[in-house]
Amino acid sequence: MENKQKELDKGAAASDAELDKGSMHWSQQLAQEVVQKAKEPYLISAGMTTSGPCHLGTLCEFLYPQGIKKALEMQGKKAKYYFVADIFDAFDGVPSVFEKYKSVLEPHLGKPLYVVPDPTGKTASFGEHFMTEAQEIMKHFGVEAQIIKINEVYAKGAFDKYAKLFLQQEEKVKEVVARTSLRKELPADWSPIMPVCEKCGRIATTRVTEHTDESYKYACDKDVKYTKGCGHKGENKLSDHKYKLNWRLHWPSWMDYFGTSIEGAGVDHHTRGGSWDTLLGIFKEIFKKEPPIGYKFGFILFEGKKYSKSKGTGMGVSQLMKLLPPEAIKYMLLKPDLQENIDINPTSVNMLRLLEDYQGAVALIGADEESMSRADRKRLQAARLSKIHEWKTAFLDVILYRQLYGSWENVAKESKDAAGVKYLSHYIEEWEKAGFIPEEYSYKYMPHKAEGKLKEFFESLKDGIQPIEIHNAVFEFAKANSIQPGDFFKSIYQLLLGKDKGPKLGKFLHALGVSRVKKDVL
């Protein structure tokens, strides 16, 4: 399997060089830009605040960088991938999944996520609870990233030099931040740093009152609507590491510290006046350096609404992981153009279309890429970036066999794809539990004796005929006998299943065996 994948990757690298940029998948375009502008080994960074359960939106935040890393490796390049768990952010709301722990959690509002207790007791903190969940999901999807807890980076003093620089040039920094965020001026109490109150532990309610290059005084007296400061006044040194940089300075600082070659963010960060504009200003005017390569990606919507970790909007990744193989989910998210909004509507029909599309894309591997349309090239690259698991039988066909033969042992025997059936069986069982099996595939085989034209039709079928030939035979017979094809299909389903609809007829009769069906109805 590994040798096969290496050959595929080499083939992909060779063909990439021949494609013009406009016909490339977004991962190939960005990999090409990294090679042209950055130095090897390349560093891809990304990050998120683990304030709630992972959903498809957050899944993209670690899948997209993985796609770039994979595209670079397909070209024989060396690349690392750092994923930042930003658990130094303030805890600003109880997510819906923790509603029952509200009374336990609300006293900690405004504190850094890494000091808020995990109400389940499973991990060291609230932030680490959801970070651990994210790590498990990364593993499930084959994401190879080094996880970095940003609070630990602060604790070892890595950001002290940035804090000192920003405090030394505070007026210039404020001017850059205000200008790039399209504000005339920043609030009077704005500061490059956000102290952690040594009395109540909050970070959201503090403000710097005065500072030198090495130390600062602060007051914990802000009202941020969801919590209030305790009124304490204190003083710390930067070397105490009891602060965090303001977000618009924190983001460029971590990229500079890690030596980032490329990092992306959602379109909201890349709008005019967004935090990406500030990042560019900080790199060029304060760091006096060229910024990393940036890219933006669209929103992941759930039935037209934006996902929200804290509000619980949208189906969680863990739920979808029970219904679909990881390859299909990755393919769904990696295939579209990067800036395109992806609207997820996980009905059984939509998921079956996705699975069919994915298996069709996998079938393109090894084909002549130069003769493909751009759409098929995108599908091909998305399939390459997804972990290609060996299953041959179509998902829908496995459902069909399951309804016909019951036990997985019999399904494996009839499909002649034991490994594939074993892999897909867990997902199909979840479909059964969740009621996702399409109505057409929920049936009992209850054949009656055929009469009239139905009898003529079944008498005309030959043993060993293939599914597509059966399908065509229905149309040809209906046309020859002046019968509406739709009506004739209904008549056949009524004869065999006692209902107007059923599985694809050609595949269904072929799975049953034409000789068996003829014996049952004639």
Side-chain angles (χ1 to χ4, degrees), residues 194-212:
M194 300 182 294
V196 177
C197 178
E198 57 191 337
K199 183 178 180 182
C200 70
R202 291 183 175 85
I203 191 172
T205 54
T206 59
R207 61 186 178 88
V208 174
T209 54
E210 58 180 286
H211 67 82
T212 66

Side-chain angles (χ1 to χ4, degrees), residues 428-480:
I428 290 172
E429 286 175 0
E430 288 296 331
W431 279 53
E432 291 170 345
K433 290 177 189 175
F436 269 94
I437 301 296
E439 184 184 349
E440 299 94 308
Y441 284 77
S442 181
Y443 60 83
K444 285 186 178 180
Y445 178 56
M446 303 180 296
H448 299 286
K449 293 300 179 180
E451 298 177 354
K453 293 298 180 183
L454 284 173
K455 184 178 180 182
E456 285 183 37
F457 170 72
F458 280 102
E459 286 175 338
S460 70
L461 289 181
K462 297 178 181 178
D463 293 348
I465 191 171
Q466 294 302 305
I468 187 64
E469 294 173 309
I470 296 171
H471 182 79
N472 292 339
V474 176
F475 277 96
E476 290 167 5
F477 186 90
K479 184 178 179 181

